[in-house]
Amino acid sequence: MYIIVYMDINTLKHLFKKYKESILFGRYIFGGIILPLIKKNQEKFQVGEIGASVLGENIYVIKIGTGPKKIFMWSQMHGNESTTTKAVFDLCNVFANSKFAEVQFILNQCTIAIIPILNPDGAKAYTRTNANNIDLNRDAQERSQPESVVLRAYFDAFQPHFCFNLHGQRTIFGAGNSNHSATVSFLAPAQDKNCSITDTRKKAMEIIVNMNENLQRQIPNQVGIYDDAFNLNCVGDTFQSLDVPTVLFEAGHYTNDYQREKTREFIFQSLLVALGYVASKDITGNNYLLYDKIPQNQKCFYDIIIRNTVVNNQKVDVAIQYLEKLAENTIEFSPIVEKISNLNGYFGHKEVDANGNLVLTDDDREVYEGYENDFVLLNNVIFSLKV
């Protein structure tokens, strides 16, 4: 006999505000920062070392709850995708401290296993790949890397009923071909080369539909679906092909939120909504149809677009994209001129009209692709490109 776990937006916001993990902020999250949180969680949950990275960094799992429904999630498979890790520890704080009946019901119905950082070497170096320069999300079949072996071994031992694959995505994505940024994206990965809508995928889709309903009330038109091209070397596709419903989470861009703190809240909410739904339901996949109503992600954004300028006597637009760089334990956003062209059909998270004026470099040359600086000269006035 199940009760329905439903948390309204005010409850979700209250839980986030109250239990947001204060020592985690920004984009640079690595093993040394989360170690105190791992130790803190040992007081309430089962915490174990389940392996080590290429460079010998410990890989941990946090096991929460006592229920029969098993959910397995992992974050920072790509070391520079840290937003979901922050949300995971916010979630841990809720489960450790909240007395809400809905929270306690989830703990009674579910056993949740979380690997907060799968790729600790990549997290420390702020790279997508591991220390051997291997993308772990293309290593699901060969399992050539120790981190891939750890993930698959725990999957096999835990035998989850559902998997949550937690990632972050670049600022280039829109929710459909529109001027709405894809703040959160999901995917029920393909299970075969034909991308068939299998019973297993339907269950993952049903969970996504439920999360989307909550997000549309807060960030309408800012939820997308990631590309479902099948690749069995990807972990999500592999686990889906093993008939375990798997949901991909992608933390994206919210207006002026380059530290991904607002997106962090939406990921937190989505995780809690998904867990509540799994706890409350015998998920059949019957309620999957609205999944197709969520727009497909499109690469249609730049960080800044300067419209209506002139370069080489041609009327063009100038697109600037930020390159994320690790410097002194923080992430700097370095502006680079990515494209000079007619950019109709593209959108900027920030847009400026040059009104036909030249855009110049710091040495008074016409701006060019690859130019990297914190500013340009627009009508002989310094125009800052910094976040």
Side-chain angles (χ1 to χ4, degrees):
M1 181 72 177
Y2 296 122
I3 67 170
I4 301 300
V5 173
Y6 174 74
M7 298 183 194
D8 61 28
I9 292 171
N10 289 333
T11 299
L12 292 166
K13 287 180 173 292
H14 165 76
L15 289 172
F16 178 75
K17 183 177 180 180
K18 184 172 182 178
Y19 295 111
K20 179 181 179 181
E21 180 47 62
S22 60
I23 75 167
L24 299 181
F25 177 82
R27 301 290 286 276
Y28 188 43
I29 308 296
F30 62 97
I33 291 178
I34 71 163
L35 189 57
L37 303 179
I38 294 291
K39 292 180 178 178
K40 181 179 76 172
N41 280 302
Q42 287 177 331
E43 301 170 5
K44 297 288 182 74
F45 310 129
Q46 297 180 47
V47 177
E49 298 174 12
I50 56 173
S53 67
V54 171
L55 299 181
E57 294 285 332
N58 288 330
I59 299 172
Y60 296 94
V61 69
I62 303 169
K63 203 169 178 182
I64 302 169
T66 58
K69 297 183 176 183
K70 294 186 287 186
I71 302 100
F72 180 33
M73 63 180 82
W74 57 95
S75 184
Q76 273 181 277
M77 166 176 282
H78 295 143
N80 60 351
E81 298 175 0
S82 57
T83 305
T84 52
T85 302
K86 295 185 291 186
V88 156
F89 282 106
D90 301 333
L91 190 70
C92 287
N93 286 346
V94 169
F95 287 132
N97 299 290
S98 175
K99 302 303 180 186
F100 270 49
E102 295 88 345
V103 171
Q104 295 305 310
F105 183 76
I106 292 172
L107 293 175
N108 290 333
Q109 291 296 323
C110 298
T111 299
I112 306 158
I114 304 170
I115 299 177
I117 298 182
L118 179 66
N119 180 6
D121 299 338
K124 192 169 186 178
Y126 201 72
T127 57
R128 177 181 175 89
T129 57
N130 75 345
N132 287 331
N133 199 31
I134 298 297
D135 185 338
L136 300 179
N137 205 28
R138 300 296 183 270
D139 193 40
Q141 292 300 304
E142 187 175 353
R143 298 197 287 280
S144 65
Q145 302 303 300
E147 300 91 346
S148 303
V149 172
V150 167
L151 180 67
R152 181 56 183 268
Y154 197 85
F155 171 88
D156 289 341
F158 186 56
Q159 297 185 338
H161 300 107
F162 299 93
C163 286
F164 295 169
N165 186 9
L166 309 181
H167 286 263
Q169 66 183 12
R170 297 167 62 198
T171 59
I172 62 175
F173 290 104
N177 191 20
S178 73
N179 64 344
H180 297 288
S181 178
T183 299
V184 178
S185 298
F186 300 111
L187 176 67
Q191 194 167 357
D192 56 35
K193 291 181 180 179
N194 295 324
C195 298
S196 306
I197 306 302
T198 62
D199 290 343
T200 301
R201 287 191 78 191
K202 287 178 182 178
K203 292 176 183 178
M205 290 174 178
E206 182 174 327
I207 295 171
I208 291 169
V209 167
N210 191 253
M211 292 187 290
N212 182 56
E213 287 177 359
N214 171 64
L215 292 175
Q216 290 299 332
R217 299 186 185 102
Q218 301 173 76
I219 47 171
N221 305 312
Q222 289 177 238
V223 180
I225 292 295
Y226 216 74
D227 176 28
D228 72 345
F230 180 70
N231 185 347
L232 198 58
N233 295 312
C234 296
V235 171
D237 302 57
T238 290
F239 289 173
Q240 199 89 282
S241 71
L242 295 172
D243 286 324
V244 178
T246 299
V247 176
L248 172 72
F249 291 65
E250 292 278 357
H253 184 69
Y254 183 84
T255 304
N256 297 322
D257 181 34
Y258 282 91
Q259 299 300 337
R260 299 279 170 95
E261 291 297 302
K262 190 64 180 175
T263 302
R264 167 187 187 169
E265 179 178 359
F266 295 127
I267 294 293
F268 164 83
Q269 288 189 24
S270 297
L271 289 170
L272 202 49
V273 166
L275 291 170
Y277 194 74
V278 170
S280 304
K281 300 278 189 178
D282 284 323
I283 297 177
T284 63
N286 291 337
N287 297 318
Y288 80 97
L289 290 174
L290 291 177
Y291 179 86
D292 283 339
K293 301 297 183 182
I294 305 172
Q296 298 285 318
N297 275 1
Q298 300 292 327
K299 295 179 181 179
C300 58
F301 267 93
Y302 291 97
D303 289 308
I304 303 172
I305 294 180
I306 303 174
R307 301 281 187 188
N308 303 317
T309 185
V310 176
V311 177
N312 295 327
N313 296 315
Q314 293 184 327
K315 292 182 178 180
V316 291
D317 306 314
V318 175
I320 289 98
Q321 199 70 29
Y322 292 123
L323 177 65
E324 297 169 19
K325 295 181 176 180
L326 176 61
E328 297 182 354
N329 287 332
T330 191
I331 303 305
E332 296 180 349
F333 298 88
S334 184
I336 298 177
V337 174
E338 182 82 7
K339 194 172 184 64
I340 298 175
S341 183
N342 182 328
L343 296 175
N344 290 339
Y346 288 88
F347 308 95
H349 294 296
K350 180 179 181 180
E351 296 206 1
V352 179
D353 193 338
N355 293 310
N357 290 300
L358 296 178
V359 179
L360 302 177
T361 68
D362 57 344
D363 56 357
D364 291 324
R365 290 186 291 162
E366 287 189 357
V367 75
Y368 54 89
E369 290 183 2
Y371 174 70
E372 181 175 356
N373 206 339
D374 287 342
F375 67 92
V376 292
L377 297 174
L378 181 56
N379 198 21
N380 292 318
V381 175
I382 291 176
F383 177 73
S384 176
L385 302 174
K386 296 177 72 174
V387 168

